[in-house]
Amino acid sequence: MSTENVSGILFLVQSACLERRFLDNPALSIEQLNCGQTRISFSLTAGTDLDHRGKVRSSVIYRLLESVLQISAVSVGVEAETLNFCCNIVKYTAAEKLYAVCKICHCGRMTLVAEAEVYDENDTLLATVLTTLFVVETIKDIPRKW
C-alpha cells in the first residue's frame, strides 16, 4: 500500500476517533497508529489523577486502557464495545506521563480480541489487559487490513 493511502487512512482513523469522542481529553494523544496496533500517551494531573499517596489511581489506568482499545478497534474499521475486560495492575507509581500500547490479536466479523499494556515514562510495566470486544458497527472507508 502506498504512503499516500496510509496517510489517508490515518486521517480517517483520527477523524473517526474525534467524532466518537475517544480523544476528548486534551491530556490524551496518539503517538503511534498502525492497523490493529496503537500507542497513546496520557499526561497526568496531580489533583485528580493521583491519590493521596501521590500514586496513579487505578481508574486512570482503566480509562487509558479503554481508550487505547477503542482507538485500536477504529484502526481496523470497527466501533466496538467491551464484552470482557481482564486487567492485572502490576504496580502503582508516581508518574507524570503514562503510555498504553495495544495489539489486536483477533479481528473477526463479530468480535475482536486485544491485549494492551500500560507503562510509565520510565518504561515500567504498570498494568496488562486481555479483552474481548463486540463489533457494534463497521466504519465506512477504513479497511480491516492496511
Side-chain angles (χ1 to χ4, degrees):
M1 180 171 279
S2 73
T3 308
E4 186 175 297
N5 288 345
V6 170
S7 63
I9 293 171
L10 291 173
F11 176 77
L12 290 172
V13 170
Q14 288 182 328
S15 298
C17 288
L18 287 170
E19 180 182 316
R20 287 161 176 77
R21 304 180 61 126
F22 297 149
L23 297 173
D24 271 357
N25 192 332
L28 184 71
S29 65
I30 298 174
E31 293 200 346
Q32 184 180 11
L33 184 62
N34 296 314
C35 183
Q37 296 182 342
T38 308
R39 177 183 163 117
I40 64 173
S41 65
F42 183 77
S43 299
L44 298 165
T45 306
T48 57
D49 297 331
L50 303 178
D51 66 11
H52 65 282
R53 300 170 298 146
K55 306 287 184 179
V56 177
R57 294 180 188 277
S58 56
S59 61
V60 172
I61 293 172
Y62 297 144
R63 283 195 321 262
L64 184 59
L65 285 166
E66 186 66 28
S67 294
V68 77
L69 291 165
Q70 293 296 330
I71 293 166
S72 294
V74 171
S75 79
V76 293
V78 299
E79 185 174 343
E81 293 294 331
T82 305
L83 286 175
N84 183 24
F85 187 87
C86 182
C87 181
N88 293 306
I89 295 182
V90 179
K91 186 175 186 178
Y92 288 97
T93 185
E96 293 181 17
K97 195 170 197 175
L98 300 180
Y99 301 93
V101 293
C102 178
K103 177 184 171 197
I104 303 241
C105 304
H106 165 74
C107 185
R109 189 172 50 84
M110 298 299 290
T111 60
L112 301 175
V113 176
E115 55 188 18
E117 298 173 332
V118 175
Y119 297 90
D120 67 7
E121 67 262 1
N122 299 318
D123 291 328
T124 303
L125 179 65
L126 303 180
T128 63
V129 68
L130 181 62
T131 187
T132 304
L133 301 150
F134 176 71
V135 175
V136 176
E137 177 184 347
T138 300
I139 301 171
K140 188 176 123 182
D141 299 329
I142 300 175
R144 288 273 178 131
K145 293 183 180 180
W146 47 277

